[in-house]
Amino acid sequence: MEWVKDKVIIELCPRIHEFNKLQSATGAVVCNIDKAEYLLDEIIGLAGEILSALKQSDYALQLNTDLREWKKLD
């Protein structure tokens, strides 16, 4: 499972950090909407892959649903 740790550190965390730079204090995306959407799609995919590998497929499904719903509202 070392690859999971690497995937989180090398791929997921940097994307989350970049996405956070595009948000206001309330969590709303306030600039570069296209980049934010692209990053969020990558975050959703990576999180799903990681959670599935950790046998957390129910959580992965719920996270996917929640993030896609939030994406529609923003």
Side-chain angles (χ1 to χ4, degrees), residues 40-54:
L40 190 56
D41 287 340
E42 286 192 329
I43 291 165
I44 290 168
L46 286 166
E49 184 180 344
I50 291 163
L51 289 168
S52 292
L54 296 173

Side-chain angles (χ1 to χ4, degrees), residues 2-49:
E2 186 69 21
W3 73 268
V4 171
K5 179 179 154 189
D6 290 343
K7 196 162 241 353
V8 169
I9 293 168
I10 296 167
E11 296 184 47
L12 183 61
C13 287
R15 284 171 176 83
I16 291 171
H17 182 69
E18 283 301 307
F19 184 81
N20 288 339
K21 290 178 185 178
L22 306 175
Q23 294 178 284
S24 71
T26 66
V29 174
V30 293
C31 63
N32 206 339
I33 302 299
D34 290 337
K35 182 177 181 181
E37 186 170 357
Y38 176 79
L39 286 168
L40 190 56
D41 287 340
E42 286 192 329
I43 291 165
I44 290 168
L46 286 166
E49 184 180 344

Side-chain angles (χ1 to χ4, degrees), residues 53-67:
L54 296 173
K55 308 287 190 239
Q56 297 293 320
S57 56
D58 288 344
Y59 182 62
L61 180 62
Q62 188 58 52
L63 180 64
N64 184 308
T65 301
D66 288 349
L67 289 176

